[in-house]
Amino acid sequence: MKKKILFLLLVLVCVGFKVNASSWSFVWDEDTTTIDIPLGGNLQNYISKPKAKLYRDGQVLEDAQISYITTGDWLYLLTDVDTRKVGSYQVWYKAVENKYKPGQCQGYKTLVTFNVVDLEKPIFVEYPKEITYLIGSAKPKYEEQITATDNSGNCKITVDDSLVNYETPGTYMLTLRASDGRNITEQFMEVIVKDPVGPVITFLGENNRILLTKGEEAKLQTYFKAVDKIDGDVTDTISYMPFSTESATSFDLEVTFSDKNRNTSSIVVKVEIVDKDEVNIELYKTVLLLEYNQNVEQALLENIKSAYLGKTNVLKDVIIHSEQVKNEVGSYNVSYEYVNEDKVGKVECEVKLLSNAAPVLLVENCNVTLNGKVNILNQIQVFDPSDSDIESKIEYDDGLVDYSKAGTYPVRVTVTNSSNLSTSETLYITVSDTKNPIESSGNIFIVPILIGVCLIGGGIIIFLYFKKKRNCINDQNQL
């Protein structure tokens, strides 16, 4: 009996030893320990994704009742996961089995990685479908016309215009890119390059004037050269309102040229249709500026450039009406006329006679006692044969003279003739506190003045001026 009892105890001990020696472990599903969460996603929707299985002696226990502690531990906490920021976050997960209760066996704890990823591409909110660029203008600032947003709040817009030729008209494709650093959205926009400048026109004649003969065919293209920056020579695009050459007349005509982009440039020319049998008098100048004392008649004759009756030169028969012209400074009207039976031609000319010589201005210094008076005009003489009223045009400034204080003061004198030519001189006024400047000074000086030579009507008039005057106050060195 005792042997039986000992045998049973031995069996129970062996069975108990086998049970206590069982190997327990948790194995986590690798596909569930790394979890991607979209930026801005709800973390609670992903917490329960990590899974583990309980193994005993290498055999999975399908009926195990496993729960999880997800709050984290040792600096890897669930509260650190921020789904508002892209990044990787790790959390300690713990597995607990409630049926077999193996406790904290091997593998019960693992690090779960939550990857917060941005899966949304930026969105273009506003951008033009096309934009027009005019050659020669500033390059468009595309970014200022484009709006894009991204859920990350970080959105960079770039423009690829490498396919756009800003110098050649045409339609080009431009690529817009919006990037958040991980995702890129592209859109396309058309850039229409246009040439806004019309051709440059050069008139090949003179003075924008086209002279045509009555009845001849008008071929105006030979008078112009039109060149476009893009299209080159476009002279053959000339256009203008048609006109008849059947009668003699003159009129303004607008001539237009265009390029392939329909840009136009225009020029206005004077078209003169002349009857070759009519009188045509042409002058070199319609306004003549002459010296008042020169041979005016000769100058008027030399002013005729040409005079024709048809093809006949009638220059020698032109009558110059210059009766009003006098050898005096002034402005006069002169007419050139040709009369022959029923043919009459007449042109006008304005003759302005001027003097090329400035007035001759003579001034004489003077002396005055304190608080005395002096007539400055008595100290001034002016000569100008071209202006009979020259004396009335004398101007002087004695603002620097202090008659209450002894000293020598300057007076600036200026005279301008009718030809607008001026001469200036300075005379000096000496203010003395001596009652009898002659006795106190005892100095006598002589002012010789020689008037220049003036030509009038080919003659020479020599003006000689000689005066004496006692200086009662100031000596010559002071002056």
Side-chain angles (χ1 to χ4, degrees):
M1 186 66 181
K2 289 181 179 180
K3 291 181 178 181
K4 290 182 178 179
I5 292 173
L6 290 173
F7 178 76
L8 289 174
L9 289 173
L10 182 61
V11 171
L12 289 173
V13 169
C14 291
V15 171
F17 176 78
K18 185 176 182 180
V19 171
N20 290 333
S22 294
S23 175
W24 298 87
S25 65
F26 285 100
V27 178
W28 294 82
D29 186 353
E30 291 183 358
D31 294 337
T32 66
T33 56
T34 300
I35 302 170
D36 289 340
I37 304 176
L39 183 67
N42 187 348
L43 178 61
Q44 297 300 320
N45 296 336
Y46 301 88
I47 291 177
S48 60
K49 287 186 178 293
K51 300 295 181 184
K53 292 181 180 180
L54 179 64
Y55 285 79
R56 184 178 62 187
D57 298 329
Q59 297 294 321
V60 63
L61 301 176
E62 299 290 351
D63 61 343
Q65 298 177 0
I66 302 174
S67 61
Y68 303 92
I69 299 174
T70 63
T71 56
D73 195 5
W74 290 100
L75 303 179
Y76 296 97
L77 305 175
L78 185 67
T79 55
D80 293 333
V81 181
D82 188 352
T83 60
R84 297 170 300 176
K85 296 182 179 179
V86 173
S88 293
Y89 307 87
Q90 290 185 315
V91 180
W92 280 116
Y93 265 53
K94 298 177 183 178
V96 179
E97 204 284 323
N98 299 313
K99 181 178 180 180
Y100 295 99
K101 299 181 179 179
Q104 294 182 353
C105 60
Q106 181 180 357
Y108 85 98
K109 184 178 180 182
T110 189
L111 276 174
V112 175
T113 300
F114 291 96
N115 293 318
V116 179
V117 294
D118 184 4
L119 302 177
E120 293 187 26
K121 293 184 177 182
I123 299 173
F124 281 97
V125 178
E126 183 180 2
Y127 67 95
K129 296 296 187 298
E130 67 177 37
I131 190 169
T132 298
Y133 169 76
L134 302 180
I135 294 176
S137 62
K139 187 177 178 181
K141 295 182 179 180
Y142 299 106
E143 291 83 354
E144 296 180 356
Q145 306 179 51
I146 302 168
T147 304
T149 60
D150 186 71
N151 62 325
S152 67
N154 178 31
C155 184
K156 182 180 179 181
I157 298 173
T158 58
V159 177
D160 181 4
D161 63 347
S162 59
L163 298 179
V164 181
N165 187 338
Y166 291 100
E167 297 297 326
T168 303
T171 300
Y172 303 91
M173 193 63 67
L174 180 146
T175 304
L176 310 177
R177 294 187 179 92
S179 172
D180 61 8
R182 291 161 293 276
N183 306 293
I184 297 177
T185 301
E186 289 188 348
Q187 287 290 358
F188 300 95
M189 182 175 70
E190 287 186 344
V191 178
I192 303 173
V193 179
K194 292 185 176 181
D195 174 18
V197 180
V200 176
I201 303 172
T202 303
F203 183 71
L204 303 179
E206 295 182 0
N207 302 322
N208 280 23
R209 178 170 172 262
I210 297 177
L211 185 63
L212 301 176
T213 302
K214 177 182 175 182
E216 79 169 302
E217 181 183 357
K219 297 180 180 179
L220 302 190
Q221 184 172 331
T222 57
Y223 287 87
F224 302 93
K225 183 74 172 180
V227 179
D228 184 70
K229 180 180 179 181
I230 305 299
D231 303 326
D233 192 338
V234 292
T235 309
D236 58 352
T237 66
I238 186 171
S239 64
Y240 49 86
M241 289 293 293
F243 60 89
S244 172
T245 62
E246 293 304 315
S247 59
T249 184
S250 64
F251 54 89
D252 291 333
L253 180 68
E254 183 178 38
V255 181
T256 302
F257 299 86
S258 60
D259 61 18
K260 293 179 181 178
N261 287 284
R262 298 181 181 179
N263 299 306
T264 62
S265 298
S266 299
I267 183 174
V268 176
V269 296
K270 186 78 170 181
V271 177
E272 296 182 22
I273 303 173
V274 298
D275 185 345
K276 292 297 185 179
D277 293 331
E278 291 186 355
V279 179
N280 181 26
I281 302 174
E282 187 175 0
L283 305 178
Y284 285 105
K285 296 180 180 179
T286 57
V287 177
L288 272 179
L289 301 179
L290 302 175
E291 175 71 17
Y292 78 101
N293 56 2
Q294 79 173 78
N295 189 338
V296 177
E297 293 297 332
Q298 183 63 29
L300 293 174
L301 181 60
E302 293 174 353
N303 190 41
I304 304 175
K305 184 176 183 180
S306 63
Y308 284 90
L309 174 59
K311 296 183 179 181
T312 304
N313 189 336
V314 294
L315 189 149
K316 62 182 180 61
D317 298 317
V318 174
I319 301 172
I320 303 175
H321 296 285
S322 59
E323 296 82 5
Q324 297 180 353
V325 180
K326 300 178 182 179
N327 284 113
E328 296 178 1
V329 173
S331 180
Y332 306 91
N333 290 324
V334 174
S335 64
Y336 295 78
E337 187 177 31
Y338 172 83
V339 179
N340 180 18
E341 299 178 353
D342 59 338
K343 299 293 184 179
V344 177
K346 185 177 182 179
V347 292
E348 300 288 336
C349 177
E350 182 182 3
V351 178
K352 293 184 177 181
L353 299 183
L354 302 172
S355 173
N356 290 326
V360 176
L361 182 61
L362 305 174
V363 298
E364 182 178 4
N365 302 325
C366 64
N367 304 284
V368 65
T369 58
L370 286 176
N371 299 315
K373 293 183 179 181
V374 61
N375 188 341
I376 295 177
L377 291 177
N378 290 339
Q379 309 301 120
I380 302 169
Q381 290 196 33
V382 61
F383 303 93
D384 191 330
S386 72
D387 191 342
S388 59
D389 196 31
I390 191 64
E391 291 185 358
S392 66
K393 300 173 182 178
I394 297 173
E395 296 180 353
Y396 63 88
D397 180 9
D398 63 344
L400 297 178
V401 181
D402 187 349
Y403 292 97
S404 64
K405 183 179 179 181
T408 300
Y409 304 95
V411 176
R412 191 64 175 170
V413 182
T414 301
V415 62
T416 303
N417 66 14
S418 55
S419 297
N420 204 32
L421 298 176
S422 298
T423 301
S424 296
E425 295 289 347
T426 301
L427 68 83
Y428 293 89
I429 296 178
T430 299
V431 179
S432 175
D433 57 1
T434 304
K435 292 184 178 180
N436 189 348
I438 296 178
E439 295 177 356
S440 62
S441 173
N443 293 326
I444 301 175
F445 72 91
I446 301 174
V447 180
I449 302 175
L450 179 63
I451 301 176
V453 179
C454 301
L455 298 179
I456 301 178
I460 301 175
I461 300 177
I462 301 176
F463 294 94
L464 181 62
Y465 173 72
F466 185 83
K467 281 193 175 184
K468 295 182 179 179
K469 186 175 177 68
R470 294 178 181 272
N471 274 339
C472 300
I473 300 176
N474 201 20
D475 57 19
Q476 290 178 332
N477 293 330
Q478 188 176 17
L479 294 176

